[in-house]
Amino acid sequence: MRRAVAVLGILALALAVGALAQSSGTFVSVAEQAGVDFRPFLPTLQGPVGFAGAGVAVGDYDRDGLLDLYFPNTYGANRLYRNLGNFQFTEVAAAVGAALPDDTSHGAVFFDYDNDGDLDLYVTNTGPNRLLRNDGGVFTEVGASAGVDDAGNGTSATVGDYNNDSWLDLYVGNFSRADEGPDDDTVRNLLYRNNGDGTFTNVAPIAGVDSIGHTWAAHFFDYDNDGDQDLYVANDRVYGGVHDNFYRNDGVNPDTSEIQFTDIVVELGLDVLRFSMGAAVGDYDNDGWLDLFVTDIGRNWLYHNEGDGTFREVSEELGVKAGKNSGEDLVSWGAQWFDYDNDGLLDLFVPNGHTVIGPLRAFVQVNLLFHQNQAGTFDEVGADMRVRKVTSSRGAEACDLDGDGRLDLLVSTRDAPVLLYRNEVPAENFLMLTFQGTVSNRDAVGTRVYLTTNGVTQQRLVTSGGSTFSASDYSVHFGLGDARLVDQIRIVFPSGRERVLSYVAANQRIHVIEPGGR
């Protein structure tokens, strides 16, 4: 049940920025020192999609203001690392009921499905998926009673309020088993409508989004700026020659009283047969329209949103097409847009790693970091920034784990220690924002944030993301370059209600509560 919110306001907490001047100048690998000692182990194929590995979810499950890390595991117990501050973590999954030691897990997402102020946790499995209800920092598994315990081959899950009823809905990607053939329709993707009473209903067939599951990642985002959530689904062509799905939200169908989606992937020119592994959404050129990056084998794709209902593929001209290293095809997974040097331009991290296991397990690959320059093109700087780790990587999340205004980097792996990079890149000014919905969903997922300074408007989306098997926290980060004062921040909540802040000082974290309420 939604809690009544009586007090609306903006709470700001200034963050220390003196540490920005004292840094190594690069990212620094700190997983071992931080206590994040998880190493996934794949002795054999674990389930139909076990070869692919698993991801990571980021969220403040105990509401102490520090981001915690959840790692699904395809072999053995899942891990939950509680953030103690100062880049120190302790593993607590078993103690709080989140270990799931008998499951074969792949993906996870934190989200407040019951609007009670606690982040709950959904975990995708080979076998029944799990919904872990958060009761004050301790989890109770309620997947069956909530109606979301699908027993397919769950890969990635993403959340969004697709019908704008104030409750977060859940889209779950599945991957059909190779031994059942490309046309096996028993394993399909699911759209769970949140009923607002602790239960969900799968409406994917009615809504038109129940594609045969060859899915690695999915992402809700409003590509056409019409105020509702559209849905992109990244599919692997390896079985059945399927292409991706791009579902436009067309509003309520009067015949079904349910939201109707229309697949316009062909109309948009995105119907390329590829090994789509992951997707990242962001307005990289600050033109007010969300762009789409899709990972593949051998090359990657950047689709510029033209603002007229179409996309244009620009990966080669902007320098992010690279899908080879030393002549070898890179297998790219969960990409991430983020401004790692606070210069006001989005950069791009692309994790890579082969799927071959057993005798050929040495097929590890380098990760790539693309820095956006002032001309709007990208330079690959992974080696210089010390993130070009040779491993087999999967999901990636960028988040501020120590509150210094710089986005750190977290990478899930397959059969290797996970990667945690502390951002020590010299950076200038920043702004961090978190949100609370009152009329909209409690996590304010789907909120659009427009920050204007020095005549340039940056845009961020509150989202759980589309990184393979993985999900981000619900804060947004802006790099401000040399600007110490922001002219304006315009915040558009999913309900359509807005809040505008003017002349905001840099280098602070601001919590914004949606105006209105119940």
Side-chain angles (χ1 to χ4, degrees):
M1 187 68 64
R2 173 185 287 273
R3 290 178 176 170
V5 179
V7 180
L8 304 178
I10 303 170
L11 304 175
L13 176 63
L15 301 176
V17 296
L20 297 183
Q22 299 176 358
S23 72
S24 68
T26 67
F27 287 88
V28 177
S29 181
V30 296
E32 184 176 356
Q33 305 94 294
V36 181
D37 57 354
F38 178 47
R39 174 174 181 153
F41 180 52
L42 295 178
T44 60
L45 284 176
Q46 296 297 315
V49 295
F51 69 91
V56 59
V58 180
D60 181 9
Y61 85 92
D62 55 357
R63 295 297 192 191
D64 66 352
L66 300 170
L67 293 175
D68 310 299
L69 315 176
Y70 186 78
F71 291 94
N73 193 4
T74 59
Y75 187 78
N78 298 343
R79 308 294 179 89
L80 174 58
Y81 290 92
R82 181 172 174 247
N83 191 336
L84 303 177
N86 297 318
F87 249 92
Q88 293 297 304
F89 295 80
T90 186
E91 208 287 311
V92 297
V96 301
L100 305 177
D102 298 322
D103 287 358
T104 299
S105 300
H106 300 288
V109 56
F110 283 106
F111 74 118
D112 186 0
Y113 80 91
D114 50 5
N115 283 344
D116 69 348
D118 291 325
L119 283 177
D120 311 295
L121 179 63
Y122 190 73
V123 183
T124 61
N125 292 324
T126 296
N129 297 331
R130 310 296 186 185
L131 177 60
L132 303 180
R133 187 186 66 218
N134 188 338
D135 298 312
V138 178
F139 294 93
T140 302
E141 207 289 302
V142 296
S145 60
V148 292
D149 61 334
D150 177 64
N153 305 311
T155 55
S156 294
T158 191
V159 299
D161 186 4
Y162 76 90
N163 55 0
N164 281 338
D165 67 350
S166 304
W167 299 93
L168 280 175
D169 310 296
L170 177 66
Y171 188 81
V172 180
N174 274 307
F175 202 95
S176 293
R177 292 188 292 268
D179 58 355
E180 293 189 359
D183 297 321
D184 170 37
D185 63 1
T186 63
V187 180
R188 307 185 75 90
N189 293 345
L190 307 115
L191 175 60
Y192 289 114
R193 183 188 65 215
N194 190 332
N195 299 321
D197 60 1
T199 68
F200 294 77
T201 300
N202 178 28
V203 297
I206 301 173
V209 295
D210 64 330
S211 56
I212 296 175
H214 302 293
T215 299
W216 290 125
H219 207 311
F220 281 109
F221 74 105
D222 182 6
Y223 89 96
D224 50 3
N225 288 355
D226 67 351
D228 54 33
Q229 296 297 296
D230 310 297
L231 177 64
Y232 177 77
V233 180
N235 293 314
D236 194 332
R237 75 175 188 182
V238 69
Y239 301 123
V242 297
H243 53 60
D244 299 342
N245 304 110
F246 201 115
Y247 295 111
R248 185 184 62 212
N249 188 328
D250 288 330
V252 175
N253 182 337
D255 295 331
T256 64
S257 299
E258 179 56 66
I259 297 293
Q260 184 67 51
F261 289 86
T262 302
D263 191 351
I264 58 171
V265 69
V266 175
E267 176 183 328
L268 294 178
L270 275 67
D271 57 325
V272 178
L273 285 178
R274 58 181 159 232
F275 305 98
S276 296
M277 303 297 202
V281 171
D283 182 8
Y284 74 88
D285 59 347
N286 295 330
D287 69 351
W289 298 89
L290 292 170
D291 310 297
L292 176 66
F293 183 80
V294 183
T295 58
D296 195 355
I297 297 177
R299 64 154 299 172
N300 296 311
W301 310 73
L302 176 54
Y303 290 99
H304 178 262
N305 191 332
E306 299 286 277
D308 59 1
T310 66
F311 287 82
R312 179 170 58 93
E313 210 289 312
V314 295
S315 61
E316 187 166 13
E317 64 184 85
L318 297 189
V320 296
K321 179 181 176 181
K324 292 182 182 292
N325 183 69
S326 300
E328 178 191 24
D329 279 349
L330 293 176
V331 181
S332 299
W333 293 86
Q336 185 84 179
W337 291 108
F338 72 125
D339 182 2
Y340 75 84
D341 55 355
N342 288 355
D343 67 351
L345 297 172
L346 285 176
D347 310 301
L348 181 64
F349 180 77
V350 182
N352 300 292
H354 213 285
T355 59
V356 178
I357 68 170
L360 298 180
R361 191 174 295 162
F363 277 9
V364 293
Q365 298 180 332
V366 298
N367 297 329
L368 303 176
L369 177 61
F370 295 96
H371 177 259
Q372 185 175 176
N373 57 52
Q374 294 296 321
T377 59
F378 293 80
D379 302 306
E380 206 288 303
V381 296
D384 293 340
M385 292 295 103
R386 296 172 60 184
V387 296
R388 191 181 269 196
K389 177 74 174 179
V390 178
T391 186
S392 191
S393 299
R394 293 297 181 263
E397 295 299 334
C399 48
D400 185 3
L401 294 175
D402 55 357
D404 70 351
R406 293 176 290 191
L407 292 177
D408 309 299
L409 191 57
L410 184 67
V411 186
S412 71
T413 56
R414 195 217 67 190
D415 202 17
V418 298
L419 304 174
L420 176 57
Y421 294 105
R422 181 170 184 162
N423 187 341
E424 296 187 1
V425 177
E428 294 188 270
N429 302 298
F430 69 92
L431 205 62
M432 297 284 296
L433 294 99
T434 57
F435 306 93
Q436 178 182 322
T438 58
V439 179
S440 303
N441 63 86
R442 183 67 158 67
D443 293 330
V445 175
T447 296
R448 304 280 283 269
V449 187
Y450 303 90
L451 180 149
T452 301
T453 189
N454 294 334
V456 176
T457 298
Q458 300 181 56
Q459 176 184 189
R460 298 290 185 268
L461 174 67
V462 179
T463 177
S464 65
S467 188
T468 315
F469 305 133
S470 303
S472 57
D473 71 293
Y474 299 120
S475 63
V476 299
H477 166 270
F478 290 93
L480 304 178
D482 60 4
R484 299 299 302 270
L485 186 69
V486 172
D487 298 332
Q488 184 187 86
I489 306 171
R490 176 171 166 251
I491 302 154
V492 183
F493 289 89
S495 65
R497 301 190 180 208
E498 297 189 14
R499 188 176 283 275
V500 177
L501 313 178
S502 299
Y503 305 114
V504 179
N507 302 322
Q508 60 176 318
R509 179 184 294 270
I510 301 175
H511 184 66
V512 183
I513 300 176
E514 182 180 17
R518 296 174 181 172

